[in-house]
Amino acid sequence: MKRFLFVMALLLAYTISGMAQTDRQYIRSGNKYYRQQNFVKAEAEYRKSLSVNPENPQALYNLGCALVMQKKDSVAVQQFEKAAKIETGRMRKAKIYHNIGFVCQSHKLYGDAINAYKESLRNNPADNETRYNLALCQRLNKSEQNRNKNNQNKNKNKDKQKKDKDKKQDQNKDKNNKQDKENKEKQQEKMSRDNAEQLLNAAMQNEQATQRRVKDAMRQTRSRKLDKNW
């Protein structure tokens, strides 16, 4: 990925007409601290400049650069976007959108980076560095989309496999429940037959015992009659 752009010559080349002297001084002081890599003090000076003139695109742009160097990327993009709305110079506007693209690209927000780089090239079609970054982001974005699509397909397959597995388990469960029910019914039927046989056998045994008692009683009766006759 191409480097982040902060061109001091560009910043100092801004034409600031009708501005207070203190406004320019704050920007120059901020630029001095920026060159010394003292980005905290540079940020403070740029904010002082904006307190004098909130609509100064140079101060907004420089502040965004100082924030990026402190890894305050989300706030930096806000300053760049403000600067882009105010800036009228096409070349400077191209630099602003290039930096927005750079920040988005560093966070793998390829869609946003692509839009920013395209806007930069509309203002400066000859910027090969921006064109390179745009092509790179387009390639990375496509790879990410394909990867996401593959992951979605994998997840769909996993969901389908899970549904099929659950369905099979439910079918097996229903089959087992049906088998258990059939076995229980067979067992109950067998028990009913066994009970019926036992009751029948008991009844037959009782009948045989009753017949024996009747025969014994008849024999005893005959015997008593014979005794009397004897």
Side-chain angles (χ1 to χ4, degrees):
M1 184 170 61
K2 295 294 185 179
R3 63 182 179 80
F4 179 73
L5 294 181
F6 182 84
V7 184
M8 297 304 301
L10 171 66
L11 296 177
L12 295 176
Y14 270 90
T15 301
I16 309 174
S17 59
M19 300 293 295
Q21 181 65 28
T22 53
D23 188 18
R24 292 196 298 269
Q25 287 175 345
Y26 286 135
I27 292 176
R28 289 170 181 167
S29 176
N31 290 348
K32 182 183 70 174
Y33 286 123
Y34 192 100
R35 285 191 296 267
Q36 295 171 357
Q37 297 187 359
N38 192 338
F39 304 116
V40 175
K41 287 188 176 180
E43 175 190 349
E45 294 301 301
Y46 296 140
R47 290 190 182 279
K48 289 177 183 178
S49 176
L50 289 170
S51 68
V52 177
N53 179 17
E55 299 297 315
N56 186 331
Q58 181 184 5
L60 288 166
Y61 175 82
N62 290 10
L63 175 58
C65 292
L67 291 169
V68 169
M69 302 309 294
Q70 297 176 72
K71 297 182 179 180
K72 299 177 182 179
D73 291 349
S74 60
V75 184
V77 170
Q78 293 175 7
Q79 305 307 316
F80 290 141
E81 289 175 343
K82 290 178 183 178
K85 290 178 182 179
I86 300 169
E87 182 58 65
T88 57
R90 291 175 63 85
M91 298 298 292
R92 292 190 291 267
K93 192 183 286 283
K95 297 290 183 183
I96 295 170
Y97 279 111
H98 176 97
N99 284 1
I100 293 175
F102 174 88
V103 174
C104 294
Q105 183 178 353
S106 66
H107 289 279
K108 297 183 179 181
L109 300 173
Y110 300 121
D112 293 335
I114 289 169
N115 292 334
Y117 286 139
K118 284 182 177 179
E119 191 63 34
S120 178
L121 288 171
R122 288 189 187 100
N123 288 277
N124 181 16
D127 190 339
N128 291 327
E129 187 173 358
T130 299
R131 183 171 287 101
Y132 170 84
N133 284 9
L134 173 60
L136 177 61
C137 284
Q138 288 173 331
R139 186 164 64 251
L140 293 172
N141 189 51
K142 186 175 181 180
S143 297
E144 187 175 79
Q145 289 176 344
N146 291 336
R147 184 163 56 251
N148 291 337
K149 186 176 181 180
N150 291 334
N151 289 336
Q152 289 176 354
N153 290 335
K154 287 180 181 178
N155 291 333
K156 286 181 180 178
N157 290 334
K158 286 182 180 179
D159 291 340
K160 185 177 183 302
Q161 290 174 356
K162 186 177 184 302
K163 287 180 180 178
D164 292 342
K165 183 179 179 181
D166 292 341
K167 184 178 180 180
K168 188 174 181 180
Q169 288 178 343
D170 291 339
Q171 289 175 344
N172 290 336
K173 186 177 180 180
D174 292 340
K175 184 178 180 180
N176 291 335
N177 290 338
K178 183 178 180 181
Q179 187 67 40
D180 291 341
K181 184 178 180 181
E182 290 177 353
N183 291 337
K184 188 174 181 179
E185 289 175 351
K186 288 180 180 179
Q187 187 176 6
Q188 289 176 345
E189 184 180 352
K190 184 176 183 297
M191 290 175 65
S192 298
R193 287 200 303 270
D194 292 343
N195 289 338
E197 289 178 359
Q198 291 175 358
L199 291 173
L200 180 60
N201 292 333
M204 292 175 64
Q205 291 175 359
N206 290 336
E207 184 179 358
Q208 291 175 356
T210 300
Q211 290 177 355
R212 284 196 297 271
R213 286 196 295 272
V214 170
K215 288 180 180 180
D216 291 341
M218 291 177 64
R219 280 197 299 269
Q220 290 176 2
T221 300
R222 286 196 300 269
S223 175
R224 283 196 294 271
K225 289 180 178 179
L226 289 173
D227 286 344
K228 286 180 182 181
N229 292 335
W230 181 263

